[in-house]
Structures are given as C-alpha cells and as structure tokens.
Amino acid sequence: MTSLHIVLFPFMSKGHTIPILHLVHLLLRRRRISLTIFSTPANSPFIRQFLADTDSSVVRVIDLDFPQNVPELPPGVESTDLLPSMSLFLPFSNATKLMQPHFEQALQSLPTVNCIISDGFLSWTLQSASKFGIPRLVFYGMSNYALILNRLVRRDRLLVNIESDDEPFSVPSFPWVKLTRNGFDYPLRDLDQRNPLLQSIVEHAMATSNSQGLLVNSFDELESIYLDSWNREFLPKAWCVGPLCLAESPTPTGVQPLQKPAWVQWLDKKSAEGRSVLYVAFGSQAEISSEQLREIAIGLERSKVDFLWAVRP
C-alpha cells in the first residue's frame, strides 16, 4: 500500500503555526503517512523542537530562505511576533510571495505530493498547487463562527449603513448574534475597497474559495449551525478536525511524564473545586498600550473571578 505524502505550510506567526503542528500530531495517528513541513531558518528551530518526539523518517522540515532587503521590514524579521508594529503586516505578508519560486522548486524535488495544507494567509500556494496538479486544503486556525460571520458581513455589506462604530446590528442568518463595527479589525470595517490590506484579505478569500477544502480547528457539536451555514453558502467545503490541542503526541511507554508546571497544577486544583477560570490572551499580534493593560487588570481584579492571563514581555 502506497503511503500518503502531505505537505504543510504554516504562516509565520505562532498563533497560526502551533495549531498546524497540532494537526501534524493528529495526522501521524494515521498509518502509512509521511509529512513535509515548510518553514524558514528563523522559525525552523521552534518547529523542530515542537516535533522533537516524532520520527524524522516520517516528518521532515524544509527551510526556505525568507526574503531579505524587503522595503519597510527590519532585517531578520521572519515572524509577525517580531514586527515592531502590526502596521507592517501587509509588507510582511506580501514578502512571503517572493518565496513561491523556491517553494515550487522544492516541491519538484519531493516524492509525489498528494495534498498541500497551507495557511489561508499563504494564498499564493494555490497557484503552486494548481501548477503541479496537487489539491490544496486551507487552514486558518479560527472557528466556524468567525469564518462565516466575517464572510457574511463582507458579502452583504452589513457595515455600510451603520451610523456609529458602537451601534449594534444583527446578521440576518443569525438574528441572535449582535455585532458592532468596532468588533471587526480595521481593514474589515474600512468601506474603502481600495484599502490595500482589505484587498489582500479579499485575495486570500478568493484563493480559499478556489481551493479543494477548508480545515477548521473546531468540532461539530460546538458549532454545527455555523459549519452547516458555511457549507450551504460558501466554498470550499469545510471540515472540523479539532480541537487540535488534544492531538499532542502521547508520552512514550516507559517514559515518566514531566512534572506539571505550577499554573497547570493550579488549574487542576480549580477544576477539582468545581470552579471556572477565565482565560485572557490577545495573541502575538495585538498591540495593547500600557494604559489598556492597566484597565484590563483593574477589570479582572474587580470581577473577583479566577483568571489565567497570558501576557507577553
């Protein structure tokens, strides 16, 4: 029986890379499968460390040089968490397109590739996949809820007639959901279709629509109504494959598991007490001022709830 060879290409951002690495663990539970993961030299050590317990004959990592001397980008920046400002996200995203020839050259040197799973922000990989007749599946790492609402609001131009950023409005397909224009990232609430960042998002969406499938880090019991709505309204078909964080490799037989970190022990204690814990995290891309951090801290303190807050240095 011939093994299945899958190529995975995560976007250079921890919030995008980590779920795809969890997906790798899930795929490795299947027999007769081999995986090739594309990265860059600066991001590769993190990926290799994450996959240190996997069989190197089954999982290989190929590094492609990240474009150098890109206008606006500081030297050596190969991931979004190192950007001095998220205003540089578009130049960073566009810079990845310069990797396409090297990606295609590497594809030609690989054993037969049956499928490419690439991040939705790497929309140019659709051209590469089509060039070699390889199916491309898209991975964003976000929920069905976020996917369908973003697409419906954009398609039906629901932000056009909203008078203020804080005016609540509902989505016809989901009248119980109340949104505001402030709930959307800047490019999505900008009505000027010439906005370069908005044009980039549209480009990603079109590439997604022309791909062969969409993998979602969620599960049907949690979001069936939003998953079904996507599959009625849009292409490509979406499949739930999560929650992928549960797919980490098991501890090998005979190996003693490491002692749990203090924060995990604290969570276990709260669970045993039947107490819920609020998790607060804004990812690696949000720009939050010191004043905003202080206000969040004050709100958490006054709420009197147990909370776990992930704060970047």
Side-chain angles (χ1 to χ4, degrees):
M1 180 179 177
T2 305
S3 63
L4 192 68
H5 181 204
I6 298 176
V7 162
L8 300 102
F9 202 157
F11 186 67
M12 302 79 182
S13 176
K14 294 295 191 298
H16 292 242
T17 299
I18 292 173
I20 276 196
L21 295 178
H22 286 148
L23 177 61
V24 167
H25 284 307
L26 181 65
L27 292 171
L28 288 176
R29 295 183 180 185
R30 307 306 193 261
R31 293 183 178 180
R32 302 191 66 81
I33 194 168
S34 62
L35 306 173
T36 299
I37 305 168
F38 281 88
S39 184
T40 70
N43 292 297
S44 180
F46 174 80
I47 291 177
R48 293 175 190 274
Q49 181 180 9
F50 199 101
L51 301 174
D53 59 346
T54 60
D55 186 345
S56 59
S57 67
V58 177
V59 182
R60 82 174 87 182
V61 180
I62 295 179
D63 297 339
L64 301 178
D65 288 336
F66 193 86
Q68 300 298 311
N69 302 316
V70 177
E72 300 182 70
L73 288 186
V77 172
E78 296 185 16
S79 59
T80 59
D81 52 307
L82 295 180
L83 289 173
S85 168
M86 285 310 295
S87 64
L88 300 178
F89 176 81
L90 186 56
F92 180 88
S93 178
N94 287 336
T96 68
K97 297 177 181 179
L98 301 175
M99 301 169 68
Q100 184 172 350
H102 309 290
F103 176 58
E104 293 178 359
Q105 185 178 8
L107 282 179
Q108 287 181 295
S109 68
L110 292 175
T112 301
V113 177
N114 301 101
C115 174
I116 294 174
I117 301 174
S118 66
D119 192 280
F121 285 175
L122 300 175
S123 53
W124 51 266
T125 58
L126 174 62
Q127 300 173 5
S128 302
S130 301
K131 181 176 180 178
F132 296 107
I134 305 171
R136 181 215 186 206
L137 301 180
V138 185
F139 184 84
Y140 280 105
M142 67 179 77
S143 63
N144 292 290
Y145 173 87
L147 285 167
I148 186 66
L149 287 180
N150 270 298
R151 188 65 70 88
L152 286 173
V153 167
R154 191 166 63 245
R155 184 194 70 180
D156 299 337
R157 298 179 60 79
L158 298 180
L159 298 178
V160 171
N161 297 317
I162 305 300
E163 294 184 0
S164 79
D165 288 343
D166 296 313
E167 177 187 347
F169 68 93
S170 60
V171 180
S173 302
F174 311 108
W176 60 89
V177 176
K178 300 299 180 184
L179 304 172
T180 66
R181 191 156 56 200
N182 261 338
F184 292 83
D185 286 337
Y186 159 67
L188 294 175
R189 65 174 186 258
D190 189 343
L191 302 182
D192 185 356
Q193 299 299 308
R194 296 168 298 178
N195 181 319
L197 193 50
L198 182 59
Q199 290 177 345
S200 176
I201 291 173
V202 172
E203 177 184 307
H204 298 327
M206 290 180 63
T208 295
S209 298
N210 289 306
S211 297
Q212 281 68 51
L214 179 61
L215 303 183
V216 186
N217 188 8
S218 185
F219 54 101
D220 186 76
E221 292 83 354
L222 179 67
E223 299 189 292
S224 58
I225 188 168
Y226 303 110
L227 174 66
D228 293 344
S229 178
W230 174 276
N231 285 333
R232 282 195 309 269
E233 299 280 347
F234 300 108
L235 293 172
K237 182 176 180 179
W239 289 279
C240 286
V241 294
L244 291 171
C245 60
L246 300 182
E248 291 195 38
S249 0
T251 303
T253 305
V255 176
Q256 291 295 324
L258 297 174
Q259 183 178 0
K260 293 180 179 179
W263 61 271
V264 175
Q265 297 179 44
W266 180 79
L267 285 174
D268 287 343
K269 178 183 176 183
K270 295 302 174 184
S271 177
E273 295 172 353
R275 297 182 61 130
S276 60
V277 174
L278 175 65
Y279 177 57
V280 185
F282 296 95
S284 59
Q285 298 180 12
E287 293 183 349
I288 303 174
S289 67
S290 298
E291 292 77 10
Q292 288 173 317
L293 285 174
R294 279 195 292 270
E295 289 298 319
I296 294 168
I298 291 169
L300 289 171
E301 185 71 17
R302 290 181 178 175
S303 71
K304 305 296 183 183
V305 300
D306 291 319
F307 64 89
L308 180 65
W309 186 5
V311 182
R312 286 179 292 154

